[in-house]
Amino acid sequence: MMPQPPADVPLLVAENLIKEYGATRALDGATLHVYAGEVLALLGSSGSGKSTLLHCLAGILPPDSGRVWYAGHDLATMPDTRRSELRRTEFGFVFQFGQLIPELSCLENVMLPLRLAGTRRREAARRASDLLERLEVADVADKRPGQVSGGQGQRVAVARSLVTRPRVIFADEPTGALDSLNGERVMQLFVAAARETGAAVVLVTHEARVAAYSDREAVVRDGRVREQERVR
Ligand code: ADP
Ligand code: MG
């Protein structure tokens, strides 16, 4: 595990990111600071660049220019193997469009990040089951993702993002398919991860009731970010 910066130094920094898809400039000088132990909500209208920013922050998508620093290390100059290891061991993801593995059961999907990190099957199953229970989807443990509802699949994906107790959780509209009670359960688990394990949670959302759980908000507009204190 990488040594962590002191609390007043950001864990993750995106600096002046530019990313283009053909003629579309998705990020146009985006700068963002993320601190350990905080829940940061990324807000902004559809097409403003939120998902692109999240993928660049997580080292999934390389920006055309600008830098992303994690615990003082430049993601772009890190060897590929190290960057993949980081994604596997220190980052957790909830993607906007599911991305559970269809051939595995829901329980096995949640166990997978632990199994890849070398955790024994029994211990991985115990931790995965515990999270499925807390998210009220223990009943779909043995089903394949194709056999469960969108909302159930989303909660399984949330369980998978939390199971390794990552340093950073990236969640792209993780409550979009959930009713308000289940949305609250998800947010309570993210807040608990921030408070109990000092995780940074970066979460894209449209919903005011979800953003209300955050410590801080940043608004993405035309590929740029306006960071702000939470308006209470
Ligand atoms: P948001 O998540 O805020 O809705 P995105 O980051 O998905 O925004 O998209 C930002 C802009 O980049 C939009 O104009 C979108 O159409 C465009 N875009 C995103 N991904 C792609 C892609 N893979 N290919 C082409 N254009 C893309
Ligand atoms: Mg998006």
Side-chain angles (χ1 to χ4, degrees):
M1 198 161 270
M2 287 204 175
Q4 298 301 303
D8 57 339
V9 175
L11 178 59
L12 194 59
V13 179
E15 212 174 74
N16 210 10
L17 302 185
I18 293 181
K19 180 73 190 179
E20 291 179 340
Y21 299 104
T24 304
R25 184 166 276 213
L27 294 180
D28 187 21
T31 293
L32 184 69
H33 300 77
V34 182
Y35 295 85
E38 75 168 345
V39 179
L40 173 63
L42 287 185
L43 310 173
S45 53
S46 178
S48 58
K50 304 180 297 296
S51 295
T52 304
L53 176 60
L54 206 67
H55 290 140
C56 287
L57 278 172
I60 293 170
L61 191 68
D64 300 331
S65 73
R67 300 212 178 280
V68 179
W69 304 88
Y70 173 68
H73 298 265
D74 181 348
L75 288 188
T77 58
M78 206 178 266
D80 282 347
T81 51
R82 183 67 191 107
R83 202 167 39 240
S84 322
E85 188 193 341
L86 200 66
R87 286 201 299 261
R88 215 170 50 237
T89 58
E90 300 194 28
F91 294 173
F93 300 93
V94 185
F95 293 103
Q96 191 167 3
F97 304 105
Q99 302 192 0
L100 294 169
I101 295 173
E103 293 82 10
L104 298 179
S105 74
C106 288
L107 180 69
E108 288 165 335
N109 265 282
V110 180
M111 288 168 63
L112 187 63
L114 286 175
R115 296 289 287 152
L116 292 174
T119 306
R120 287 176 184 279
R121 171 167 281 280
R122 181 188 293 241
E123 170 66 7
R126 191 187 63 72
R127 278 167 63 180
S129 302
D130 177 57
L131 276 168
L132 290 178
E133 250 163 57
R134 289 214 247 168
L135 289 160
E136 304 261 330
V137 277
D139 53 324
V140 304
D142 297 328
K143 293 191 173 162
R144 303 271 177 96
Q147 302 170 304
V148 308
S149 74
Q152 288 168 331
Q154 198 157 42
R155 282 176 282 164
V156 172
V158 167
R160 184 184 56 182
S161 77
L162 289 164
V163 78
T164 56
R165 300 191 187 105
R167 291 279 184 183
V168 190
I169 297 156
F170 299 96
D172 201 346
E173 309 204 16
T175 59
L178 302 181
D179 59 44
S180 57
L181 178 61
N182 283 311
E184 278 171 33
R185 283 195 181 107
V186 165
M187 289 312 299
Q188 282 162 4
L189 284 175
F190 285 151
V191 170
R195 300 294 176 266
E196 289 162 22
T197 64
V201 180
V202 189
L203 131 114
V204 173
T205 186
H206 288 306
E207 299 167 84
R209 67 185 168 85
V210 170
Y213 280 89
S214 70
D215 301 306
R216 208 158 59 88
E217 296 177 354
V219 180
V220 185
R221 191 171 171 201
D222 299 332
R224 291 164 170 267
V225 187
R226 196 175 74 241
E227 291 186 53
Q228 55 191 39
E229 294 309 308
R230 220 179 85 59
V231 183
R232 288 180 195 273

